[in-house]
Amino acid sequence: TFRSARAVDDSVMSTDPVEIENRGALARLLTAVAKYYVCKSAPRFVYEAMECHGGNGYVEESGLPRLFRQSPLNAIWEGSSN
């Protein structure tokens, strides 16, 4: 994700038209890859967070159960796996 941010910064700050085109294409590609990675790994991280919190992670008063239910849907909502 840092490489994607660097590509975006380089495409904006550069004065060379070829460099702008190349960095812009890389930024577009890496943005989609980062979005895919985050959406696919979120359920695993939320599950581990619930496991770390123990019984408190399952209580509906906290936000963690909602995150656990919604994290698999991120890939559908964001359209990252299309």
PDB file of all heavy atoms in Angstrom, residues 1-23:
ATOM      1  N   THR A   1       0.809  -1.190   0.000  1.00  0.00           N
ATOM      2  CA  THR A   1       0.000   0.000   0.000  1.00  0.00           C
ATOM      3  C   THR A   1       0.862   1.268   0.000  1.00  0.00           C
ATOM      4  O   THR A   1       0.446   2.266  -0.530  1.00  0.00           O
ATOM      5  CB  THR A   1      -0.968   0.017   1.176  1.00  0.00           C
ATOM      6  OG1 THR A   1      -0.229  -0.124   2.372  1.00  0.00           O
ATOM      7  CG2 THR A   1      -1.980  -1.093   1.086  1.00  0.00           C
ATOM      8  N   PHE A   2       2.034   1.195   0.611  1.00  0.00           N
ATOM      9  CA  PHE A   2       2.925   2.352   0.570  1.00  0.00           C
ATOM     10  C   PHE A   2       3.458   2.577  -0.844  1.00  0.00           C
ATOM     11  O   PHE A   2       3.656   3.709  -1.253  1.00  0.00           O
ATOM     12  CB  PHE A   2       4.090   2.179   1.546  1.00  0.00           C
ATOM     13  CG  PHE A   2       3.682   2.334   2.988  1.00  0.00           C
ATOM     14  CD1 PHE A   2       3.863   1.310   3.871  1.00  0.00           C
ATOM     15  CD2 PHE A   2       3.113   3.517   3.432  1.00  0.00           C
ATOM     16  CE1 PHE A   2       3.488   1.447   5.191  1.00  0.00           C
ATOM     17  CE2 PHE A   2       2.734   3.666   4.739  1.00  0.00           C
ATOM     18  CZ  PHE A   2       2.930   2.625   5.628  1.00  0.00           C
ATOM     19  N   ARG A   3       3.679   1.483  -1.564  1.00  0.00           N
ATOM     20  CA  ARG A   3       4.146   1.628  -2.943  1.00  0.00           C
ATOM     21  C   ARG A   3       3.068   2.277  -3.800  1.00  0.00           C
ATOM     22  O   ARG A   3       3.363   3.076  -4.686  1.00  0.00           O
ATOM     23  CB  ARG A   3       4.527   0.270  -3.503  1.00  0.00           C
ATOM     24  CG  ARG A   3       5.193   0.359  -4.832  1.00  0.00           C
ATOM     25  CD  ARG A   3       5.785  -0.943  -5.242  1.00  0.00           C
ATOM     26  NE  ARG A   3       6.442  -0.750  -6.516  1.00  0.00           N
ATOM     27  CZ  ARG A   3       6.992  -1.706  -7.195  1.00  0.00           C
ATOM     28  NH1 ARG A   3       6.994  -2.926  -6.724  1.00  0.00           N
ATOM     29  NH2 ARG A   3       7.565  -1.474  -8.346  1.00  0.00           N
ATOM     30  N   SER A   4       1.821   1.956  -3.531  1.00  0.00           N
ATOM     31  CA  SER A   4       0.718   2.583  -4.243  1.00  0.00           C
ATOM     32  C   SER A   4       0.656   4.075  -3.943  1.00  0.00           C
ATOM     33  O   SER A   4       0.467   4.895  -4.848  1.00  0.00           O
ATOM     34  CB  SER A   4      -0.600   1.908  -3.841  1.00  0.00           C
ATOM     35  OG  SER A   4      -1.683   2.539  -4.434  1.00  0.00           O
ATOM     36  N   ALA A   5       0.812   4.434  -2.681  1.00  0.00           N
ATOM     37  CA  ALA A   5       0.803   5.850  -2.315  1.00  0.00           C
ATOM     38  C   ALA A   5       1.968   6.585  -2.957  1.00  0.00           C
ATOM     39  O   ALA A   5       1.818   7.721  -3.424  1.00  0.00           O
ATOM     40  CB  ALA A   5       0.862   5.989  -0.796  1.00  0.00           C
ATOM     41  N   ARG A   6       3.113   5.941  -3.019  1.00  0.00           N
ATOM     42  CA  ARG A   6       4.281   6.559  -3.661  1.00  0.00           C
ATOM     43  C   ARG A   6       4.031   6.770  -5.148  1.00  0.00           C
ATOM     44  O   ARG A   6       4.399   7.799  -5.721  1.00  0.00           O
ATOM     45  CB  ARG A   6       5.506   5.671  -3.435  1.00  0.00           C
ATOM     46  CG  ARG A   6       6.755   6.080  -4.158  1.00  0.00           C
ATOM     47  CD  ARG A   6       7.347   7.323  -3.494  1.00  0.00           C
ATOM     48  NE  ARG A   6       8.456   7.838  -4.248  1.00  0.00           N
ATOM     49  CZ  ARG A   6       9.726   7.659  -3.952  1.00  0.00           C
ATOM     50  NH1 ARG A   6      10.050   6.937  -2.894  1.00  0.00           N
ATOM     51  NH2 ARG A   6      10.665   8.193  -4.685  1.00  0.00           N
ATOM     52  N   ALA A   7       3.389   5.797  -5.806  1.00  0.00           N
ATOM     53  CA  ALA A   7       3.083   5.932  -7.235  1.00  0.00           C
ATOM     54  C   ALA A   7       2.116   7.084  -7.478  1.00  0.00           C
ATOM     55  O   ALA A   7       2.261   7.833  -8.454  1.00  0.00           O
ATOM     56  CB  ALA A   7       2.511   4.629  -7.776  1.00  0.00           C
ATOM     57  N   VAL A   8       1.138   7.252  -6.602  1.00  0.00           N
ATOM     58  CA  VAL A   8       0.195   8.365  -6.736  1.00  0.00           C
ATOM     59  C   VAL A   8       0.927   9.691  -6.560  1.00  0.00           C
ATOM     60  O   VAL A   8       0.745  10.625  -7.353  1.00  0.00           O
ATOM     61  CB  VAL A   8      -0.963   8.232  -5.717  1.00  0.00           C
ATOM     62  CG1 VAL A   8      -1.795   9.495  -5.677  1.00  0.00           C
ATOM     63  CG2 VAL A   8      -1.824   7.042  -6.048  1.00  0.00           C
ATOM     64  N   ASP A   9       1.762   9.772  -5.531  1.00  0.00           N
ATOM     65  CA  ASP A   9       2.516  11.004  -5.300  1.00  0.00           C
ATOM     66  C   ASP A   9       3.437  11.327  -6.471  1.00  0.00           C
ATOM     67  O   ASP A   9       3.521  12.479  -6.902  1.00  0.00           O
ATOM     68  CB  ASP A   9       3.343  10.892  -4.025  1.00  0.00           C
ATOM     69  CG  ASP A   9       2.486  10.935  -2.773  1.00  0.00           C
ATOM     70  OD1 ASP A   9       1.318  11.352  -2.877  1.00  0.00           O
ATOM     71  OD2 ASP A   9       2.991  10.549  -1.706  1.00  0.00           O
ATOM     72  N   ASP A  10       4.118  10.311  -6.998  1.00  0.00           N
ATOM     73  CA  ASP A  10       5.034  10.541  -8.112  1.00  0.00           C
ATOM     74  C   ASP A  10       4.291  10.971  -9.371  1.00  0.00           C
ATOM     75  O   ASP A  10       4.795  11.785 -10.141  1.00  0.00           O
ATOM     76  CB  ASP A  10       5.852   9.290  -8.403  1.00  0.00           C
ATOM     77  CG  ASP A  10       6.900   9.026  -7.338  1.00  0.00           C
ATOM     78  OD1 ASP A  10       7.167   9.940  -6.528  1.00  0.00           O
ATOM     79  OD2 ASP A  10       7.447   7.910  -7.313  1.00  0.00           O
ATOM     80  N   SER A  11       3.101  10.433  -9.588  1.00  0.00           N
ATOM     81  CA  SER A  11       2.347  10.808 -10.782  1.00  0.00           C
ATOM     82  C   SER A  11       1.835  12.240 -10.696  1.00  0.00           C
ATOM     83  O   SER A  11       1.689  12.922 -11.702  1.00  0.00           O
ATOM     84  CB  SER A  11       1.181   9.845 -11.012  1.00  0.00           C
ATOM     85  OG  SER A  11       0.197  10.008 -10.025  1.00  0.00           O
ATOM     86  N   VAL A  12       1.587  12.718  -9.500  1.00  0.00           N
ATOM     87  CA  VAL A  12       1.109  14.085  -9.315  1.00  0.00           C
ATOM     88  C   VAL A  12       2.263  15.087  -9.354  1.00  0.00           C
ATOM     89  O   VAL A  12       2.139  16.173  -9.928  1.00  0.00           O
ATOM     90  CB  VAL A  12       0.338  14.192  -7.974  1.00  0.00           C
ATOM     91  CG1 VAL A  12      -0.011  15.627  -7.667  1.00  0.00           C
ATOM     92  CG2 VAL A  12      -0.908  13.346  -8.017  1.00  0.00           C
ATOM     93  N   MET A  13       3.396  14.714  -8.775  1.00  0.00           N
ATOM     94  CA  MET A  13       4.508  15.647  -8.629  1.00  0.00           C
ATOM     95  C   MET A  13       5.438  15.704  -9.840  1.00  0.00           C
ATOM     96  O   MET A  13       6.199  16.646  -9.978  1.00  0.00           O
ATOM     97  CB  MET A  13       5.332  15.284  -7.387  1.00  0.00           C
ATOM     98  CG  MET A  13       4.503  15.290  -6.110  1.00  0.00           C
ATOM     99  SD  MET A  13       3.745  16.867  -5.786  1.00  0.00           S
ATOM    100  CE  MET A  13       4.952  17.579  -4.742  1.00  0.00           C
ATOM    101  N   SER A  14       5.369  14.713 -10.707  1.00  0.00           N
ATOM    102  CA  SER A  14       6.298  14.660 -11.832  1.00  0.00           C
ATOM    103  C   SER A  14       5.916  15.673 -12.914  1.00  0.00           C
ATOM    104  O   SER A  14       4.755  16.035 -13.073  1.00  0.00           O
ATOM    105  CB  SER A  14       6.297  13.250 -12.430  1.00  0.00           C
ATOM    106  OG  SER A  14       7.192  13.180 -13.509  1.00  0.00           O
ATOM    107  N   THR A  15       6.926  16.120 -13.666  1.00  0.00           N
ATOM    108  CA  THR A  15       6.679  17.038 -14.777  1.00  0.00           C
ATOM    109  C   THR A  15       6.844  16.344 -16.124  1.00  0.00           C
ATOM    110  O   THR A  15       6.442  16.884 -17.143  1.00  0.00           O
ATOM    111  CB  THR A  15       7.660  18.224 -14.716  1.00  0.00           C
ATOM    112  OG1 THR A  15       8.995  17.733 -14.724  1.00  0.00           O
ATOM    113  CG2 THR A  15       7.416  19.056 -13.457  1.00  0.00           C
ATOM    114  N   ASP A  16       7.398  15.129 -16.115  1.00  0.00           N
ATOM    115  CA  ASP A  16       7.591  14.366 -17.334  1.00  0.00           C
ATOM    116  C   ASP A  16       6.284  13.654 -17.713  1.00  0.00           C
ATOM    117  O   ASP A  16       5.744  12.890 -16.920  1.00  0.00           O
ATOM    118  CB  ASP A  16       8.709  13.341 -17.119  1.00  0.00           C
ATOM    119  CG  ASP A  16       9.012  12.533 -18.359  1.00  0.00           C
ATOM    120  OD1 ASP A  16       8.713  13.006 -19.472  1.00  0.00           O
ATOM    121  OD2 ASP A  16       9.568  11.419 -18.209  1.00  0.00           O
ATOM    122  N   PRO A  17       5.744  13.882 -18.921  1.00  0.00           N
ATOM    123  CA  PRO A  17       4.470  13.256 -19.296  1.00  0.00           C
ATOM    124  C   PRO A  17       4.517  11.728 -19.316  1.00  0.00           C
ATOM    125  O   PRO A  17       3.540  11.068 -18.955  1.00  0.00           O
ATOM    126  CB  PRO A  17       4.178  13.800 -20.692  1.00  0.00           C
ATOM    127  CG  PRO A  17       5.125  14.905 -20.922  1.00  0.00           C
ATOM    128  CD  PRO A  17       6.230  14.789 -19.944  1.00  0.00           C
ATOM    129  N   VAL A  18       5.650  11.163 -19.720  1.00  0.00           N
ATOM    130  CA  VAL A  18       5.770   9.701 -19.738  1.00  0.00           C
ATOM    131  C   VAL A  18       5.767   9.156 -18.309  1.00  0.00           C
ATOM    132  O   VAL A  18       5.122   8.139 -18.019  1.00  0.00           O
ATOM    133  CB  VAL A  18       7.054   9.282 -20.494  1.00  0.00           C
ATOM    134  CG1 VAL A  18       7.266   7.784 -20.412  1.00  0.00           C
ATOM    135  CG2 VAL A  18       7.000   9.751 -21.930  1.00  0.00           C
ATOM    136  N   GLU A  19       6.467   9.829 -17.424  1.00  0.00           N
ATOM    137  CA  GLU A  19       6.505   9.425 -16.019  1.00  0.00           C
ATOM    138  C   GLU A  19       5.115   9.520 -15.389  1.00  0.00           C
ATOM    139  O   GLU A  19       4.704   8.644 -14.628  1.00  0.00           O
ATOM    140  CB  GLU A  19       7.492  10.310 -15.251  1.00  0.00           C
ATOM    141  CG  GLU A  19       7.660   9.960 -13.806  1.00  0.00           C
ATOM    142  CD  GLU A  19       8.538   8.741 -13.587  1.00  0.00           C
ATOM    143  OE1 GLU A  19       9.262   8.332 -14.513  1.00  0.00           O
ATOM    144  OE2 GLU A  19       8.477   8.195 -12.481  1.00  0.00           O
ATOM    145  N   ILE A  20       4.397  10.569 -15.716  1.00  0.00           N
ATOM    146  CA  ILE A  20       3.030  10.732 -15.196  1.00  0.00           C
ATOM    147  C   ILE A  20       2.151   9.577 -15.656  1.00  0.00           C
ATOM    148  O   ILE A  20       1.394   8.997 -14.874  1.00  0.00           O
ATOM    149  CB  ILE A  20       2.441  12.085 -15.634  1.00  0.00           C
ATOM    150  CG1 ILE A  20       3.178  13.225 -14.936  1.00  0.00           C
ATOM    151  CG2 ILE A  20       0.948  12.156 -15.340  1.00  0.00           C
ATOM    152  CD1 ILE A  20       2.811  14.596 -15.460  1.00  0.00           C
ATOM    153  N   GLU A  21       2.249   9.218 -16.922  1.00  0.00           N
ATOM    154  CA  GLU A  21       1.431   8.123 -17.474  1.00  0.00           C
ATOM    155  C   GLU A  21       1.799   6.789 -16.821  1.00  0.00           C
ATOM    156  O   GLU A  21       0.918   6.023 -16.430  1.00  0.00           O
ATOM    157  CB  GLU A  21       1.623   8.038 -18.988  1.00  0.00           C
ATOM    158  CG  GLU A  21       0.805   6.964 -19.649  1.00  0.00           C
ATOM    159  CD  GLU A  21      -0.682   7.217 -19.588  1.00  0.00           C
ATOM    160  OE1 GLU A  21      -1.080   8.395 -19.593  1.00  0.00           O
ATOM    161  OE2 GLU A  21      -1.449   6.241 -19.538  1.00  0.00           O
ATOM    162  N   ASN A  22       3.089   6.512 -16.695  1.00  0.00           N
ATOM    163  CA  ASN A  22       3.525   5.240 -16.120  1.00  0.00           C
ATOM    164  C   ASN A  22       3.152   5.125 -14.645  1.00  0.00           C
ATOM    165  O   ASN A  22       2.643   4.091 -14.208  1.00  0.00           O
ATOM    166  CB  ASN A  22       5.041   5.079 -16.277  1.00  0.00           C
ATOM    167  CG  ASN A  22       5.442   4.839 -17.707  1.00  0.00           C
ATOM    168  OD1 ASN A  22       4.638   4.443 -18.543  1.00  0.00           O
ATOM    169  ND2 ASN A  22       6.704   5.093 -18.005  1.00  0.00           N
ATOM    170  N   ARG A  23       3.416   6.172 -13.890  1.00  0.00           N
ATOM    171  CA  ARG A  23       3.083   6.143 -12.460  1.00  0.00           C
ATOM    172  C   ARG A  23       1.578   6.136 -12.232  1.00  0.00           C
ATOM    173  O   ARG A  23       1.090   5.519 -11.282  1.00  0.00           O
ATOM    174  CB  ARG A  23       3.715   7.333 -11.730  1.00  0.00           C
ATOM    175  CG  ARG A  23       5.197   7.306 -11.695  1.00  0.00           C
ATOM    176  CD  ARG A  23       5.690   6.153 -10.883  1.00  0.00           C
ATOM    177  NE  ARG A  23       7.133   6.142 -10.877  1.00  0.00           N
ATOM    178  CZ  ARG A  23       7.854   5.409 -10.062  1.00  0.00           C
ATOM    179  NH1 ARG A  23       7.270   4.636  -9.184  1.00  0.00           N
ATOM    180  NH2 ARG A  23       9.164   5.436 -10.121  1.00  0.00           N
TER     181      ARG A  23
END
